[in-house]
Short mmCIF file of all heavy atoms in Angstrom, two decimals:
data_model
loop_
_atom_site.label_atom_id
_atom_site.label_comp_id
_atom_site.label_asym_id
_atom_site.label_seq_id
_atom_site.Cartn_x
_atom_site.Cartn_y
_atom_site.Cartn_z
N ALA A 256 -76.18 10.21 -28.63
CA ALA A 256 -75.75 8.96 -27.99
C ALA A 256 -74.59 8.32 -28.76
O ALA A 256 -74.64 8.20 -29.98
CB ALA A 256 -76.92 7.99 -27.91
N GLN A 257 -73.58 7.92 -28.03
CA GLN A 257 -72.44 7.21 -28.58
C GLN A 257 -72.02 6.13 -27.60
O GLN A 257 -72.42 6.14 -26.43
CB GLN A 257 -71.26 8.17 -28.82
CG GLN A 257 -71.52 9.26 -29.83
CD GLN A 257 -71.61 8.75 -31.26
OE1 GLN A 257 -71.00 7.72 -31.59
NE2 GLN A 257 -72.36 9.45 -32.10
N PHE A 258 -71.20 5.19 -28.07
CA PHE A 258 -70.60 4.21 -27.17
C PHE A 258 -69.43 4.88 -26.45
O PHE A 258 -68.48 5.34 -27.09
CB PHE A 258 -70.10 2.99 -27.94
CG PHE A 258 -71.20 2.16 -28.55
CD1 PHE A 258 -71.43 2.19 -29.91
CD2 PHE A 258 -72.00 1.36 -27.76
CE1 PHE A 258 -72.44 1.43 -30.48
CE2 PHE A 258 -73.01 0.60 -28.31
CZ PHE A 258 -73.23 0.63 -29.67
N SER A 259 -69.52 4.96 -25.16
CA SER A 259 -68.49 5.66 -24.38
C SER A 259 -67.13 4.96 -24.48
O SER A 259 -67.06 3.72 -24.44
CB SER A 259 -68.91 5.75 -22.90
OG SER A 259 -70.11 6.47 -22.77
N TYR A 260 -66.09 5.74 -24.65
CA TYR A 260 -64.70 5.27 -24.62
C TYR A 260 -64.39 4.22 -25.69
O TYR A 260 -63.47 3.43 -25.54
CB TYR A 260 -64.34 4.71 -23.23
CG TYR A 260 -64.73 5.64 -22.10
CD1 TYR A 260 -65.73 5.29 -21.21
CD2 TYR A 260 -64.10 6.87 -21.95
CE1 TYR A 260 -66.10 6.14 -20.18
CE2 TYR A 260 -64.46 7.73 -20.93
CZ TYR A 260 -65.46 7.37 -20.05
OH TYR A 260 -65.82 8.21 -19.04
N ALA A 261 -65.16 4.20 -26.77
CA ALA A 261 -64.88 3.23 -27.83
C ALA A 261 -63.69 3.64 -28.68
O ALA A 261 -63.10 2.81 -29.36
CB ALA A 261 -66.12 3.05 -28.71
N LYS A 262 -63.35 4.92 -28.64
CA LYS A 262 -62.25 5.39 -29.48
C LYS A 262 -61.45 6.43 -28.71
O LYS A 262 -62.00 7.30 -28.04
CB LYS A 262 -62.79 6.00 -30.77
CG LYS A 262 -61.71 6.41 -31.77
CD LYS A 262 -62.33 6.87 -33.08
CE LYS A 262 -61.26 7.20 -34.10
NZ LYS A 262 -61.85 7.64 -35.39
N SER A 263 -60.14 6.34 -28.84
CA SER A 263 -59.26 7.30 -28.17
C SER A 263 -59.04 8.50 -29.08
O SER A 263 -58.66 8.34 -30.25
CB SER A 263 -57.92 6.66 -27.83
OG SER A 263 -57.00 7.66 -27.39
N PRO A 264 -59.24 9.72 -28.58
CA PRO A 264 -58.97 10.90 -29.40
C PRO A 264 -57.50 11.28 -29.43
O PRO A 264 -57.11 12.21 -30.12
CB PRO A 264 -59.79 11.99 -28.67
CG PRO A 264 -59.79 11.57 -27.24
CD PRO A 264 -59.79 10.06 -27.26
N HIS A 265 -56.67 10.54 -28.67
CA HIS A 265 -55.27 10.93 -28.51
C HIS A 265 -54.29 9.99 -29.21
O HIS A 265 -53.09 10.27 -29.22
CB HIS A 265 -54.92 10.98 -27.02
CG HIS A 265 -55.87 11.80 -26.20
ND1 HIS A 265 -56.03 13.15 -26.36
CD2 HIS A 265 -56.74 11.43 -25.22
CE1 HIS A 265 -56.93 13.60 -25.51
NE2 HIS A 265 -57.38 12.58 -24.81
N ALA A 266 -54.75 8.88 -29.78
CA ALA A 266 -53.81 7.92 -30.36
C ALA A 266 -54.38 7.33 -31.63
O ALA A 266 -55.60 7.13 -31.76
CB ALA A 266 -53.50 6.81 -29.36
N SER A 267 -53.51 7.03 -32.57
CA SER A 267 -53.93 6.40 -33.82
C SER A 267 -54.29 4.95 -33.57
O SER A 267 -53.99 4.38 -32.51
CB SER A 267 -52.80 6.47 -34.84
OG SER A 267 -51.70 5.67 -34.41
N ALA A 268 -54.92 4.34 -34.57
CA ALA A 268 -55.30 2.93 -34.44
C ALA A 268 -54.07 2.05 -34.25
O ALA A 268 -54.11 1.08 -33.49
CB ALA A 268 -56.10 2.50 -35.67
N ALA A 269 -52.97 2.38 -34.96
CA ALA A 269 -51.76 1.57 -34.84
C ALA A 269 -51.18 1.65 -33.42
O ALA A 269 -50.76 0.64 -32.85
CB ALA A 269 -50.72 2.03 -35.86
N VAL A 270 -51.15 2.86 -32.87
CA VAL A 270 -50.64 3.02 -31.50
C VAL A 270 -51.54 2.31 -30.51
O VAL A 270 -51.07 1.62 -29.59
CB VAL A 270 -50.52 4.52 -31.16
CG1 VAL A 270 -50.21 4.71 -29.67
CG2 VAL A 270 -49.43 5.17 -32.00
N GLN A 271 -52.85 2.44 -30.69
CA GLN A 271 -53.78 1.76 -29.80
C GLN A 271 -53.60 0.25 -29.87
O GLN A 271 -53.72 -0.45 -28.85
CB GLN A 271 -55.22 2.13 -30.16
CG GLN A 271 -55.58 3.56 -29.82
CD GLN A 271 -57.02 3.87 -30.19
OE1 GLN A 271 -57.95 3.31 -29.60
NE2 GLN A 271 -57.20 4.72 -31.17
N ARG A 272 -53.34 -0.27 -31.06
CA ARG A 272 -53.13 -1.71 -31.21
C ARG A 272 -51.92 -2.17 -30.42
O ARG A 272 -51.94 -3.20 -29.75
CB ARG A 272 -52.98 -2.05 -32.69
CG ARG A 272 -52.79 -3.53 -33.01
CD ARG A 272 -54.04 -4.35 -32.72
NE ARG A 272 -53.98 -5.08 -31.49
CZ ARG A 272 -54.97 -5.86 -31.04
NH1 ARG A 272 -56.08 -5.98 -31.74
NH2 ARG A 272 -54.85 -6.49 -29.91
N ARG A 273 -50.82 -1.38 -30.47
CA ARG A 273 -49.62 -1.74 -29.71
C ARG A 273 -49.88 -1.65 -28.21
O ARG A 273 -49.44 -2.50 -27.44
CB ARG A 273 -48.45 -0.83 -30.11
CG ARG A 273 -47.96 -1.03 -31.54
CD ARG A 273 -46.56 -0.48 -31.73
NE ARG A 273 -46.48 0.95 -31.46
CZ ARG A 273 -46.71 1.90 -32.38
NH1 ARG A 273 -47.05 1.54 -33.62
NH2 ARG A 273 -46.58 3.17 -32.07
N GLN A 274 -50.62 -0.60 -27.82
CA GLN A 274 -50.95 -0.47 -26.39
C GLN A 274 -51.81 -1.65 -25.92
O GLN A 274 -51.58 -2.20 -24.84
CB GLN A 274 -51.71 0.85 -26.16
CG GLN A 274 -50.86 2.09 -26.35
CD GLN A 274 -51.69 3.37 -26.27
OE1 GLN A 274 -52.91 3.35 -26.51
NE2 GLN A 274 -51.04 4.48 -25.94
N LEU A 275 -52.76 -2.01 -26.76
CA LEU A 275 -53.64 -3.11 -26.39
C LEU A 275 -52.88 -4.43 -26.33
O LEU A 275 -53.12 -5.25 -25.44
CB LEU A 275 -54.80 -3.21 -27.39
CG LEU A 275 -55.81 -4.32 -27.14
CD1 LEU A 275 -56.47 -4.16 -25.78
CD2 LEU A 275 -56.88 -4.33 -28.24
N ASP A 276 -51.95 -4.64 -27.26
CA ASP A 276 -51.17 -5.87 -27.24
C ASP A 276 -50.38 -5.99 -25.95
O ASP A 276 -50.29 -7.08 -25.35
CB ASP A 276 -50.21 -5.90 -28.44
CG ASP A 276 -50.93 -6.16 -29.75
OD1 ASP A 276 -52.10 -6.62 -29.70
OD2 ASP A 276 -50.36 -5.87 -30.82
N LEU A 277 -49.78 -4.88 -25.50
CA LEU A 277 -49.05 -4.89 -24.24
C LEU A 277 -49.99 -5.21 -23.08
O LEU A 277 -49.67 -6.06 -22.22
CB LEU A 277 -48.36 -3.55 -24.01
CG LEU A 277 -47.68 -3.36 -22.64
CD1 LEU A 277 -46.59 -4.40 -22.44
CD2 LEU A 277 -47.13 -1.94 -22.51
N LEU A 278 -51.12 -4.54 -23.05
CA LEU A 278 -52.08 -4.77 -21.97
C LEU A 278 -52.56 -6.21 -21.96
O LEU A 278 -52.67 -6.85 -20.90
CB LEU A 278 -53.26 -3.81 -22.12
CG LEU A 278 -54.36 -3.90 -21.06
CD1 LEU A 278 -53.79 -3.58 -19.69
CD2 LEU A 278 -55.50 -2.96 -21.40
N GLN A 279 -52.82 -6.77 -23.14
CA GLN A 279 -53.31 -8.14 -23.21
C GLN A 279 -52.24 -9.13 -22.80
O GLN A 279 -52.55 -10.16 -22.19
CB GLN A 279 -53.80 -8.45 -24.63
CG GLN A 279 -54.99 -7.59 -25.09
CD GLN A 279 -56.25 -7.84 -24.29
OE1 GLN A 279 -56.27 -7.67 -23.07
NE2 GLN A 279 -57.30 -8.24 -24.97
#
């Protein structure tokens, strides 16, 4: 059991942060 979609296997934390900032 894991939390689904909690982490992207394709992007680093820094890239995810930039993506999230744009989305937000």
Side-chain angles (χ1 to χ4, degrees):
Q257 297 290 332
F258 293 106
S259 299
Y260 311 113
K262 186 174 183 179
S263 170
H265 309 296
S267 67
V270 171
Q271 289 181 66
R272 182 68 259 180
R273 293 199 299 272
Q274 291 173 336
L275 180 60
D276 287 343
L277 173 60
L278 181 61
Q279 297 295 59

